[in-house]
Amino acid sequence: MAHTRVGGFGINVFVAAYQQARDTDGWVRIAGAQESVLRVPHLTGVDALITCHPSTEQALTA
């Protein structure tokens, strides 16, 4: 399902996923998201924790 925006709940989900991944030496990356989806992570600073990439391939090789 494609989402066109992210709200506060979505940011909390991203941060929780990041924390769990970090605790197990893993990572979380956002791939192929629309600009409207990336706006809130950018405004809240979450994009400093979770990198955003134009494609899945780029996310996997980052």
Side-chain angles (χ1 to χ4, degrees):
M1 175 180 208
H3 292 280
T4 57
R5 61 190 174 104
V6 172
F9 179 77
I11 291 300
N12 288 334
V13 170
F14 281 136
V15 171
Y18 167 79
Q19 290 170 336
Q20 287 183 345
R22 179 196 62 203
D23 291 346
T24 59
D25 295 324
W27 47 264
V28 174
R29 297 176 184 148
I30 298 173
Q34 298 175 12
E35 281 297 319
S36 58
V37 171
L38 298 176
R39 184 172 181 261
V40 174
H42 176 71
L43 290 173
T44 60
V46 170
D47 63 344
L49 301 174
I50 302 171
T51 57
C52 304
H53 304 274
S55 71
T56 302
E57 182 178 301
Q58 289 173 315
L60 292 172
T61 60

